[in-house]
Every structure is written in structure tokens, then in C-alpha cells.
Amino acid sequence: MSAQAAITATEMMTVAASRLLRNGDVCFVGIGLPSAAANLARLTHAPGVVLIYESGPIGAKPDVLPLSIGDGSLAETADTVVSTSEIFRYWLQGGRVTVGFLSAAQIDRFANINTTVIGDYAHPEVRLPGAGGAPEIAACAGKVILVLRQTARSFVERVDFITSVGHLDGGDARKRLGLTGQGPAAVVTDLCLMTPDPVTKELIVTHLHRGVSPEKVRAATGWKIRFAEAVEETPHPSTWELDTLRQLQRRTALAHGRPAEA
């Protein structure tokens, strides 16, 4: 079986998300899938992207994926390191971040994000890691890209708690609140790519990954998901993208003491 044929859903999602970054973007990066996608973009089509992490590194160029925002490799490879307060006040709230790259535990049809609790806030079924810098990123970044795996438990009609604003109840809700960023511009999952309707701001499927049917997307969504009139197939990863991602993941596994995949 060829490397192209053996591509995993996570690799497809990571590559598709990385392509949404442009050379010269100033990107505020979350840990996990967002970091993998952002660094893949830096190592392939967008070498001039400026990666910013919450702990203060600006222009980070890690050789392996960081374990956390406090990973030393971020500061060691950055163009400069500033205080966290400067990251938020001058860079983010000052309108100097063009893209925020985030993930979530729950997301709803208007791309509101929950990373706080599952269930009732006072008596939750699950207590999640919490907000971190995501609320400010969601409010102030020029635009937001979300990347997460898609299941009916994570894609819900209404999130249990709004940790970070998406498009709230749709329409011009963000504008009425005076938020400076345009909000979620794309949601990339292991099944498809969604973008908000220009007017209602409800998420609409615009691309399906190879081998994914509309029925599979519907089954993994907790609301009646809408599809664009002409849904396209997500362009498959190139050999360059796939090899670069796998090398990055292999270096990361070795650096963090995990066995590298063949």
C-alpha cells in the first residue's frame, strides 16, 4: 500500500487545516492539533508565517511539536520572547494577530467553543481544562480557524457552556457586541471542512475529505447540518505535505520518549 493510500483521518485533517494559513500570517497557536497544523504550514507552503504562543514566544520555529505553551523549544527557537501581558495587550488586543488557531471539546452550529464543562456548570459530568487564552483569541484575532475531530458528542446543537465566542446566535451578533475579530472563518475536522454562511453564520459543509459521505457527516453532527450547493472534495495531501508531517511527528515522538512509528 502506498503512503498516499495509507493516509489517516488525522493526517488529512492536519494537512487541510495547515493549508488555510498564508505566508506572512501572524498566527496565535493553540497546543495539539492547531500546533501540528500551524507548524506543518511553516515547514511547507508558508515559511514566513509568524507563530505566537501564549507564554510569550514570537516567531517560534520548533523542530518538534511542543508539549505545552511553556515548552522550552518555543522560546529557544523564537525570534523574541515577550511577557504574556504584552502578547495579549499589544499583539492580540492591538489587532496584530491575523489568525487564531484553536481546538475545542464542544462546538455548536454557530462555532461557539466549549472547553469548560460537559453538563451543568454547577454539577458537571466532566470538568474540562478550561479557557486559557482562547476567549481573547476568539474575540480579537483577525479570524479564527478551528480544528477538531468530529463526533455527535463534540458537534452539538448548543454547547453546554460558551468558553469562547464563535458567532453566538448568528447574524451580526459579534458586531453588536463590539468584538474586533471576524470570528471563526473555517472549521476543519477529520471528515470535512465547514465555513459559516455569510449571512446567518451557521456552519455549512463546503468540502468532504476523500471517502467521506454526507451521511457520515450527518451521523457525526448533533444538529441538522447544512451542505453547500456544490460540495467539493478536499484536495488530497501531496507527497511533500505528508512526508513533512510524518517526519515532524517522528521527531516529536523521539524527542518526547515515545516510540516512533515506522
Side-chain angles (χ1 to χ4, degrees):
M1 182 180 291
S2 70
Q4 283 287 315
I7 185 172
T8 68
T10 298
E11 288 173 334
M12 181 71 243
M13 170 172 52
T14 305
V15 170
S18 76
R19 291 170 176 162
L20 297 178
L21 284 181
R22 299 288 178 262
N23 213 30
D25 271 334
V26 177
C27 180
F28 204 129
V29 191
I31 294 300
L33 287 170
S35 187
N39 278 285
L40 177 60
R42 177 180 63 81
L43 293 168
T44 53
H45 69 277
V49 67
V50 178
L51 302 186
I52 293 178
Y53 288 81
E54 186 177 339
S55 54
I58 297 174
K61 304 171 189 67
D63 190 52
V64 302
L65 295 175
L67 289 170
S68 71
I69 59 169
D71 196 305
S73 65
L74 296 176
E76 290 167 359
T77 61
D79 295 330
T80 188
V81 179
V82 300
S83 67
T84 298
S85 59
E86 180 175 325
I87 285 286
F88 282 93
R89 183 67 188 94
Y90 178 82
W91 288 90
L92 185 58
Q93 294 174 350
R96 295 172 174 85
V97 173
T98 61
V99 181
F101 225 137
L102 298 173
S103 191
Q106 272 189 340
I107 185 174
D108 64 24
R109 64 194 182 102
F110 293 115
N112 297 301
I113 302 170
N114 175 21
T115 56
T116 302
V117 295
I118 301 297
D120 180 72
Y121 183 82
H123 304 284
E125 299 170 24
V126 179
R127 179 74 66 179
L128 298 169
E136 288 80 7
I137 297 170
C140 301
K143 65 180 179 182
V144 174
I145 298 169
L146 297 167
V147 54
L148 68 159
R149 294 177 180 84
Q150 187 169 353
T151 70
R153 295 181 63 185
S154 56
F155 280 67
V156 296
E157 177 75 27
R158 183 182 295 273
V159 292
D160 294 335
F161 184 91
I162 297 180
T163 308
S164 307
V165 295
H167 293 289
L168 297 165
D169 57 353
D172 65 347
R174 289 182 64 92
K175 182 178 180 180
R176 285 187 277 111
L177 277 183
L179 300 178
T180 54
Q182 75 176 63
V187 177
V188 184
T189 81
D190 50 344
L191 303 179
C192 64
L193 187 149
M194 307 176 189
T195 59
D197 179 274
V199 178
T200 69
K201 302 302 181 182
E202 182 176 347
L203 292 174
I204 297 174
V205 176
T206 59
H207 293 72
L208 293 173
H209 302 334
R210 184 176 296 181
V212 176
S213 66
E215 290 71 25
K216 188 170 185 178
V217 173
R218 291 188 183 100
T221 310
W223 69 88
K224 189 175 180 180
I225 188 71
R226 295 172 55 198
F227 291 78
E229 289 186 9
V231 176
E232 300 179 24
E233 180 178 283
T234 310
H236 216 50
S238 68
T239 300
W240 180 37
E241 290 170 320
L242 199 54
D243 286 349
T244 302
L245 175 59
R246 289 177 175 176
Q247 290 167 13
L248 175 61
Q249 298 287 12
R250 190 175 296 114
R251 291 195 302 271
T252 299
L254 291 172
H256 295 162
R258 300 192 301 268
E261 296 181 3

